[in-house]
Amino acid sequence: MLRLRPNVSAEALQAHLVDAERASLESTFATLAADSSLSRAAALILASRRKYIAGAGKSAAYAALLNADLAATLPNVMLIGAGLSATDVLSDVRSSDVCVVFSVRRYRAETVRLGRLFARSGGHLVVVTDDPRAPLAGSASALILVDTGSASYADSPTAMAAVCHLLSSLASASAKGARRRLANRDVATAELGLYWDESSDSLEPDADGTPPIIHSPTEESESIS
């Protein structure tokens, strides 16, 4: 159910939602300022040889976000579930490994099992969660608490996204070779032509006036394979 009064205007609803998002963000920042969990987590990531990131359900989006940002500046960053199974990871855990897991209510069972087994195998576990009593809190080498309070039916992702940005920025700021990796990444993406370039707009007609052929996603994926 919505945590809102029925029959409210769109303007009042928007104001209420914005206030709730602002409150959860400020609460999270206040918590992070009061302890060293974020800097401790960044230090563990920097010191590790392999960096694993995991999350299931809605938390998979947070894991993918952090993975994308960290992989741009750090080596050996791997997203569990994207071609890398939990079994593969757990079969070769080293004390020099770290796993960042996102686990928020209602706490997906596979994430809890993965985190506990990873920590039990000797790896360092960074837990990003919404409650100090969360199932993985006791296994964490670093515990990052995020306020996901919301005025909506869904828990807020706002502070979670902010924490992903802060954590990746802290780790990248102290990473050796980060600037070189970013420069090399820019060269690679340019040579691969990954981003939109208005100078080569594919929607422009050919010289003879023939309109371009627009393939469906299915046709394009089949041609690539």
Side-chain angles (χ1 to χ4, degrees):
M1 292 180 59
L2 288 173
R3 305 169 196 170
L4 296 166
R5 297 186 306 274
N7 302 320
V8 296
S9 67
E11 291 77 10
L13 175 59
Q14 175 178 307
H16 191 34
L17 288 168
V18 169
D19 287 344
E21 295 304 301
R22 183 182 295 113
S24 67
L25 192 58
E26 291 176 350
S27 172
T28 298
F29 286 165
T31 298
L32 294 176
D35 63 27
S36 58
S37 59
L38 204 63
S39 59
R40 184 162 60 251
L44 287 172
I45 292 171
L46 277 174
S48 64
R49 185 170 66 90
R50 294 179 296 190
K51 301 96 174 160
Y52 299 110
I53 306 174
K58 185 174 179 178
S59 292
Y62 309 138
L65 175 59
L66 181 62
N67 179 79
D69 285 347
L70 284 180
T73 57
L74 299 176
N76 302 320
V77 177
M78 292 161 278
L79 182 63
I80 298 176
L84 178 66
S85 71
T87 302
D88 293 335
V89 173
L90 293 173
S91 66
D92 186 33
V93 178
R94 309 292 178 87
S95 59
S96 57
D97 295 339
V98 66
C99 184
V100 182
V101 295
F102 292 85
S103 180
V104 296
R105 72 180 191 104
R106 299 161 33 198
Y107 309 109
R108 289 287 289 259
E110 63 263 50
T111 304
V112 174
R113 286 194 291 265
L114 167 64
R116 287 179 175 175
L117 289 171
F118 188 91
R120 191 183 305 168
S121 298
H124 293 287
L125 188 68
V126 174
V127 178
V128 186
T129 187
D130 55 355
D131 194 315
R133 300 161 297 178
L136 282 175
S139 302
S141 302
L143 182 67
I144 300 175
L145 295 176
V146 181
D147 186 346
T148 59
S150 172
S152 171
Y153 69 93
D155 289 344
S156 172
T158 304
M160 273 290 185
V163 165
C164 288
H165 177 65
L166 290 173
L167 183 56
S168 63
S169 297
L170 279 175
S172 299
S174 302
K176 294 181 179 179
R179 189 180 298 275
R180 172 184 55 80
R181 287 178 63 84
L182 283 172
N184 291 342
R185 188 182 183 89
D186 286 342
V187 172
T189 54
E191 292 181 344
L192 289 170
L194 297 182
Y195 299 115
W196 181 262
D197 183 359
E198 291 185 358
S199 65
S200 59
D201 192 337
S202 60
L203 296 182
E204 292 294 328
D206 294 337
D208 60 359
T210 304
I213 299 175
I214 302 177
H215 297 284
S216 69
T218 301
E219 291 173 334
E220 188 169 331
S221 63
E222 288 176 351
S223 65
I224 292 173
S225 60

